[in-house]
Amino acid sequence: MSLTITLPDGSQMDVPEGITIIDAASRVGKRLADDAVAGKVDGKLVDLATTLHDNVNLEIVTFDSNEGKEVYRHTASHIMAQAVKRLFPEVKLTIGPAIEDGFYYDFDSPRPFVPEDLEKIEAEMQRIIDEDLSIERSVVSKNEAIELFKVKNETYKIELLDDIDEDSVSLYKQGEFVDLCKGPHLPTTKKLKFFKLLSLAGAYWRGDENNRMLQRIYGTAFTKKSDLDNYLKNLEEAKKRDHRKLGPELDLFSIHEEEAGPGLVYWHPKGATLRRVIEDFWKEVHIKNGYQLVVIPHIARSNLWRTSGHYDFYRENMYTMDAGGQEYVLKPMNCPGHILIYKTHTHSYRDLPIRYAELGTVYRREKSGTLHGLLRVRGFTQDDAHIFCTPEQLISEIVGVIDLMDYMLKSFGYDEYKIELSVRDPEHKEKYLGSDEEWEMAENALIDALAQRDLSYERKEGEAVFYGPKIDVKLFDALGRPWQGPTIQFDFNLPKRFDVNYVGRDGKEHHVVMVHRVVLGAIERFVGGLIEHYGGAFPTWLSPVQVKIISITDEQIDYALQVENKLESAGLRVESDTRSEKLGFKIREAQLEKVPYMLIVGAREVKNHTIAVRLRTGEDLGDMNIDDFISKITTEISEK
Ligand SMILES: [Zn+2]
Ligand SMILES: [Zn+2]
């Protein structure tokens, strides 16, 4: 008996019934078989050892695809777990997925791992690879699996099995090592070529701080040595730019986990200056674009959150407090507050659009395991705005937001971004609020607005939240890494829950069209991204200190202070270093502080009424008179 398989290019091939995917790949070409990491049968990802018994569509998955990378690196995580069990038999296994750029495995270890352990584990992994163990899938009943892991005393696996609803589960075995796993995996350990263990971290079981702290080991794996080397080099560069390292070094912010609680940011004078510059710019741009600034309190009675629905659907993320028998909530969102302001008046269609904007601080109880420097925090300020408009105004409103977003992102040096349009799943309309008409209107408005600005986007079917479609923008930083950026989110829910209306041309009341939008997202995360994008060397307009005046000897202190006064009067942020230290030492310090301009003043400069201008890169611009320097730097600042 023979079967016909159809390959992705449409070509067909007759093969004997029962052939394995890897043998089918060999018939296409040796190169493809060598590169194969898994197969895709009628769209389903499976092991290469899978046998074929029907006419199917077959795709050979290689490391080049995201799915291929996932299979490859997930196999690396199994090999790492096997190595850990060989070296430290008392360690218990939990889970070990592939992640973007690598993999990890969480272990319950009586003793925390140390960096030297990673070297031992790597050596053992290499041994397991050299042993060329075949990796075999088996399907057993859930009870059999529970018995097996009981014998091995793998209590976390039993807990995972208890949560599985199916009667049978799949196991993957390589040598003496067995793991509960959906797969697929590489066919043998030797298929894993180049890997590196990268770091250690603590992580709570299931991300819950009430559970035991586990030991997480991160690693990555590639098929080519040059790719691994490149990745490691980029990682070094990223480490140098890590905002958690640069933030304290540049004296921008601190987080006091023990004394004040995790995920709460304390802004130091220089960090607060950076924030103020960003916020002033943000306010100026928004006012120019027809937004009205509003301010709302940080707490509100729980009734308000019952009306909005957050009390029922979002409660575990909210901080609540009892005030004399009245329950209050620390606001996790700004929207209900802006709605209350809108509703203090009756609005006619002629009053719309109304755009309320606020740098609104919110508090959310994020799980402690997910907190990360400035990127994921519990108290943060959203650059929030809500647009209330009529359906006819929608496209021009969205175009307005897109233009404003484009202008702001480019001002911050993000020239590259990618747009994703999340729409509802047409097969499951029942999962969403709002009528077909509303969804079509909103989705089309987003599409038309993007078309008007000639912007390409990726359409994500079924990725919309239940209350409306949205646009997400991803920014790319100087290292090419993606960052979460602006969002434009429709809302068919709150206008109904709060009865947010306007009086139309027909004299009747209609629900407004409501759009939530942020450009920067959270100021905290945005600043974290900016620090890494610029490696702490901010452009002059953003630099907390723009100019440092450095005297060569004590003779020039008076002159240095005169120059400082003159620059400050021109609106510049200036510091003077008049300490009796060596000039080279003072210059190096200013460079470490990443101050864009250093003005050196010695006897000659005093005599000529000039300054010697140096950049933080070490470049020497030579002597200038003070007025020329002021006009040069203020032009640079106003042009951003
Ligand atoms: Zn697995
Ligand atoms: Zn909102």
Side-chain angles (χ1 to χ4, degrees):
M1 262 259 304
S2 80
L3 317 167
T4 305
I5 55 177
T6 309
L7 298 167
D9 64 1
S11 65
Q12 293 193 321
M13 192 167 74
D14 287 334
V15 294
E17 203 251 297
I19 192 172
T20 61
I21 293 175
I22 187 67
D23 287 341
S26 302
R27 291 182 180 218
V28 180
K30 184 180 177 309
R31 180 76 191 273
L32 184 65
D34 285 346
D35 291 347
V37 300
K40 229 171 163 182
V41 176
D42 290 335
K44 192 173 175 284
L45 202 60
V46 293
D47 292 307
L48 289 171
T50 307
T51 51
L52 301 176
H53 303 278
D54 292 296
N55 297 336
V56 291
N57 291 309
L58 176 68
E59 185 187 333
I60 303 300
V61 176
T62 68
F63 184 79
D64 292 334
S65 68
N66 285 335
E67 284 165 324
K69 287 185 180 68
E70 212 177 306
V71 171
Y72 194 82
R73 289 168 176 164
H74 183 58
T75 303
S77 102
H78 276 216
I79 293 174
M80 175 171 79
Q82 182 174 18
V84 167
K85 287 296 285 188
R86 281 185 181 181
L87 294 166
F88 313 100
E90 69 285 3
V91 164
K92 285 185 186 180
L93 302 171
T94 69
I95 56 159
I99 50 174
E100 180 146 14
D101 292 340
F103 62 88
Y104 71 77
Y105 210 112
D106 284 347
F107 302 98
D108 184 353
S109 169
R111 166 180 78 79
F113 292 125
V114 291
E116 295 77 70
D117 292 332
L118 295 188
E119 286 167 34
K120 282 186 214 148
I121 297 166
E122 279 180 344
E124 192 61 42
M125 286 173 74
Q126 193 55 57
R127 245 167 260 142
I128 293 166
I129 291 169
D130 295 340
E131 285 167 25
D132 196 12
L133 304 172
S134 67
I135 302 175
E136 287 153 13
R137 177 191 173 89
S138 61
V139 176
V140 299
S141 75
K142 191 170 131 180
N143 282 337
E144 269 176 85
I146 291 176
E147 284 312 311
L148 175 90
F149 287 112
K150 259 188 195 155
V151 172
K152 291 179 174 285
N153 198 24
E154 296 290 1
T155 47
Y156 293 90
K157 294 289 170 190
I158 296 168
E159 212 183 309
L160 291 170
L161 278 159
D162 282 338
D163 285 350
I164 294 177
D165 257 344
E166 275 132 73
D167 300 330
S168 63
V169 295
S170 58
L171 303 176
Y172 277 81
K173 182 175 181 299
Q174 58 205 48
E176 80 288 357
F177 178 83
V178 186
D179 207 345
L180 172 69
C181 186
K182 283 206 172 85
H185 276 288
L186 295 175
T188 74
T189 56
K190 198 161 198 160
K191 271 271 204 178
L192 189 76
K193 298 293 178 204
F194 301 97
F195 68 94
K196 178 88 191 146
L197 300 187
L198 299 170
S199 60
L200 289 164
Y204 293 106
W205 170 234
R206 299 192 152 159
D208 184 340
E209 62 198 282
N210 298 314
N211 288 338
R212 219 176 130 72
M213 172 76 90
L214 305 171
Q215 301 284 312
R216 176 170 298 179
I217 303 180
Y218 285 102
T220 193
F222 288 87
T223 50
K224 289 190 197 121
K225 178 146 192 327
S226 56
D227 288 344
L228 176 62
D229 289 346
N230 260 336
Y231 177 78
L232 295 176
K233 215 176 97 206
N234 260 333
L235 208 60
E236 270 314 301
E237 184 55 35
K239 254 188 210 159
K240 276 190 229 149
R241 290 168 179 249
D242 191 330
H243 73 280
R244 291 169 301 173
K245 176 174 164 285
L246 283 175
E249 271 175 28
L250 299 172
D251 202 10
L252 299 174
F253 68 88
S254 54
I255 293 172
H256 304 267
E257 287 206 13
E258 287 304 317
E259 303 96 312
L264 302 168
V265 184
Y266 289 75
W267 294 90
H268 301 196
K270 283 181 182 159
T273 300
L274 174 59
R275 256 188 91 137
R276 174 170 55 80
V277 174
I278 295 170
E279 294 181 1
D280 287 351
F281 172 60
W282 184 91
K283 286 179 184 166
E284 182 197 314
V285 172
H286 279 74
I287 291 167
K288 263 190 204 152
N289 280 274
Y291 286 79
Q292 303 179 79
L293 302 185
V294 295
V295 179
I296 60 170
H298 284 226
I299 59 172
R301 280 187 177 164
S302 54
N303 305 352
L304 185 70
W305 307 101
R306 285 208 169 86
T307 308
S308 71
H310 292 108
Y311 200 85
D312 294 326
F313 299 119
Y314 199 67
R315 194 162 167 191
E316 58 184 31
N317 287 306
M318 303 198 313
Y319 292 96
T320 56
M321 59 193 115
D322 179 60
Q326 267 294 343
E327 193 181 24
Y328 278 78
V329 172
L330 198 47
K331 69 173 157 133
M333 318 246 167
N334 302 305
C335 344
H338 292 186
I339 287 175
L340 290 182
I341 296 174
Y342 177 92
K343 282 182 54 115
T344 55
H345 296 284
T346 310
H347 296 283
S348 124
Y349 67 93
R350 285 189 217 93
D351 306 329
L352 303 185
I354 284 177
R355 313 180 189 101
Y356 289 153
E358 180 179 14
L359 292 160
T361 303
V362 296
Y363 296 89
R364 297 179 188 172
R365 265 172 89 161
E366 303 286 352
K367 284 184 174 168
S368 69
T370 63
L371 299 175
H372 182 93
L374 292 179
L375 306 189
R376 191 91 181 225
V377 289
R378 284 178 170 166
F380 56 97
T381 301
Q382 289 181 306
D383 74 310
D384 213 353
H386 296 96
I387 298 173
F388 304 92
C389 67
T390 69
E392 296 75 38
Q393 295 165 333
L394 209 43
I395 295 178
S396 70
E397 283 306 299
I398 305 291
V399 169
V401 176
I402 290 173
D403 288 349
L404 182 147
M405 168 201 100
D406 183 75
Y407 171 67
M408 288 199 73
L409 293 182
K410 287 185 174 147
S411 300
F412 287 107
Y414 292 107
D415 296 322
E416 242 190 284
Y417 54 80
K418 192 177 105 185
I419 299 174
E420 292 170 355
L421 170 70
S422 296
V423 298
R424 70 178 168 167
D425 177 355
E427 308 287 308
H428 293 282
K429 291 181 177 175
E430 74 287 352
K431 290 199 305 194
Y432 303 89
L433 284 176
S435 63
D436 281 357
E437 204 186 352
E438 284 174 309
W439 277 87
E440 265 164 43
M441 166 196 73
E443 290 180 4
N444 288 338
L446 292 172
I447 292 167
D448 289 351
L450 289 169
Q452 274 197 26
R453 285 297 178 259
D454 233 350
L455 291 166
S456 60
Y457 59 89
E458 188 184 339
R459 188 182 166 95
K460 301 213 141 189
E461 214 86 49
E463 291 284 305
V465 285
F466 72 93
Y467 52 85
K470 63 171 174 173
I471 285 176
D472 284 305
V473 180
K474 289 214 162 67
L475 322 176
F476 292 94
D477 74 3
L479 297 185
R481 299 171 302 172
W483 293 78
Q484 196 179 321
T487 45
I488 307 172
Q489 169 75 61
F490 271 85
D491 194 332
F492 305 133
N493 184 32
L494 291 182
K496 284 171 197 155
R497 283 181 163 266
F498 281 96
D499 226 5
V500 190
N501 297 336
Y502 69 98
V503 179
R505 277 173 206 279
D506 55 4
K508 291 189 190 130
E509 292 217 332
H510 303 270
H511 288 312
V512 294
V513 178
M514 184 174 173
V515 177
H516 313 250
R517 42 108 294 179
V518 294
V519 177
L520 311 179
I523 303 278
E524 283 73 9
R525 190 181 59 219
F526 189 75
V527 170
L530 275 183
I531 294 172
E532 301 202 4
H533 181 46
Y534 289 116
F538 301 109
T540 306
W541 76 282
L542 287 171
S543 288
V545 177
Q546 296 166 317
V547 181
K548 191 121 177 181
I549 301 162
I550 300 175
S551 55
I552 297 180
T553 70
D554 291 353
E555 306 285 307
Q556 295 93 41
I557 293 181
D558 280 348
Y559 182 69
L561 297 179
Q562 279 171 35
V563 176
E564 179 181 324
N565 277 335
K566 196 153 186 199
L567 298 183
E568 273 176 348
S569 311
L572 297 167
R573 297 187 289 274
V574 193
E575 275 181 5
S576 293
D577 185 350
T578 54
R579 292 174 303 167
S580 311
E581 299 281 355
K582 286 223 168 65
L583 178 63
F585 175 79
K586 294 206 272 189
I587 290 177
R588 258 194 313 282
E589 249 188 32
Q591 273 173 331
L592 284 176
E593 289 168 25
K594 303 191 194 281
V595 177
Y597 289 96
M598 284 161 245
L599 308 185
I600 320 287
V601 293
R604 196 187 53 187
E605 284 76 20
V606 174
K607 185 168 153 262
N608 299 337
H609 292 282
T610 56
I611 44 182
V613 183
R614 247 182 106 94
L615 303 182
R616 62 187 157 200
T617 52
E619 197 186 332
D620 198 338
L621 300 188
D623 278 8
M624 265 192 209
N625 83 45
I626 300 167
D627 289 331
D628 287 348
F629 175 73
I630 290 176
S631 106
K632 171 187 154 54
I633 189 172
T634 47
T635 308
E636 181 193 335
I637 289 166
S638 68
E639 286 172 356
K640 299 206 161 61

